[in-house]
Amino acid sequence: KAGVTQTPRYLIKTRGQQVTLSCSPISGHRSVSWYQQTPGQGLQFLFEYFSETQRNKGNFPGRFSGRQFSNSRSEMNVSTLELGDSALYLCASSLTSLSYEQYFGPGTRLTVT
Amino acid sequence: EDQVTQSPEALRLQEGESSSLNCSYTVSGLRGLFWYRQDPGKGPEFLFTLYSAGEEKEKERLKATLTKKESFLHITAPKPEDSATYLCAVQRGNPAGANSKLTFGKGITLSVRP
């Protein structure tokens, strides 16, 4: 069974640009969550989508947004990139919105210059 | 605000030297406590979920335990391949039934020398 896949794996952007990251959950999983991981702050929750609806949102500015498609694939968008947005962005999927266990993808390493 | 504190930040062990990693937490209405392993450049790998105080789970050389305020990950006779960062996370029960977010600790970097 294929795991969570994320594309691209690495990305370099310039301050002020925008970026879109993609996540394909494990087949059959309907909940997708996004996290930002930095050395200083660790893993921080961005948002969670289930059945194309945002169910939970973390404490990030409105520049961070996401969506989920009918096939459960999800995208995350960051507009007006700042240097501090450089991080590993992780996507996690779970079977349903009530599932206890989340399975993570390998992440997208975003560098903002 | 949910809080998770892991200690120590880093731990160096000799192969075969057993030890424990600590995770202290504060959460209103714990739904589950999770342990993950993360290797450099990879996403976290799920290890255990603990739901209530007194619960224990084992997998190979790892054993996780839970009390009302903390969880321990015991590593028995570790091997170099156990070297990784171990993350603890808590999930609060959500009355709306939605999958509430995981709040992670900063992690413990374990290094096992041969």
Side-chain angles (χ1 to χ4, degrees):
Chain A
K1 195 173 189 180
V4 177
T5 58
Q6 292 187 244
T7 56
R9 292 293 313 280
Y10 303 92
L11 206 50
I12 300 175
K13 289 286 188 178
T14 303
R15 191 171 48 183
Q17 288 185 316
Q18 75 167 19
V19 66
T20 299
L21 312 182
S22 181
C23 171
S24 293
I26 292 172
S27 178
H29 283 197
R30 296 171 60 194
S31 173
V32 173
S33 297
W34 288 90
Y35 295 83
Q36 181 194 65
Q37 187 174 33
T38 59
Q41 298 298 319
L43 263 167
Q44 293 185 287
F45 173 78
L46 282 157
F47 29 66
E48 184 230 350
Y49 285 87
F50 178 74
S51 292
E52 302 177 65
T53 302
Q54 187 180 89
R55 301 297 294 270
N56 285 286
K57 189 176 189 303
N59 299 323
F60 279 81
R63 301 185 296 105
F64 292 82
S65 63
R67 60 177 176 169
Q68 186 181 34
F69 302 96
S70 58
N71 61 357
S72 295
R73 190 177 68 87
S74 178
E75 287 182 348
M76 190 193 98
N77 184 275
V78 187
S79 63
T80 318
L81 284 165
E82 301 177 358
L83 295 179
D85 296 333
S86 294
L88 181 66
Y89 289 89
L90 291 159
C91 164
S93 77
S94 57
L95 195 57
T96 71
S97 190
L98 297 177
S99 297
Y100 286 89
E101 298 166 10
Q102 297 186 344
Y103 295 87
F104 284 81
T108 295
R109 172 70 64 183
L110 172 65
T111 302
V112 182
T113 62
Chain B
E1 186 74 22
D2 302 338
Q3 288 192 334
V4 178
T5 303
Q6 293 188 250
S7 61
E9 289 187 12
L11 183 62
R12 296 186 69 184
L13 299 174
Q14 198 69 34
E15 183 172 3
E17 179 187 1
S18 302
S19 188
S20 295
L21 312 181
N22 176 263
C23 170
S24 298
Y25 66 91
T26 303
V27 63
S28 176
L30 179 71
R31 186 180 183 194
L33 184 139
F34 302 79
W35 281 98
Y36 286 86
R37 168 192 170 127
Q38 187 173 25
D39 292 298
K42 296 187 177 181
E45 175 190 346
F46 171 76
L47 292 173
F48 303 108
T49 306
L50 301 168
Y51 301 122
S52 57
E55 188 175 2
E56 299 182 352
K57 287 193 177 174
E58 288 188 66
K59 179 180 179 180
E60 295 180 358
R61 295 178 292 282
L62 301 176
K63 179 180 176 180
T65 62
L66 181 66
T67 72
K68 288 188 177 180
K69 293 184 178 181
E70 55 192 352
S71 176
F72 291 94
L73 185 65
H74 307 279
I75 302 178
T76 302
K79 298 181 178 181
E81 53 261 42
D82 294 322
S83 297
T85 296
Y86 291 85
L87 298 163
C88 169
V90 295
Q91 187 175 45
R92 183 194 299 189
N94 188 322
N99 185 14
S100 68
K101 66 171 185 172
L102 293 179
T103 300
F104 281 85
K106 295 285 181 70
I108 297 171
T109 300
L110 174 66
S111 175
V112 181
R113 302 187 301 273

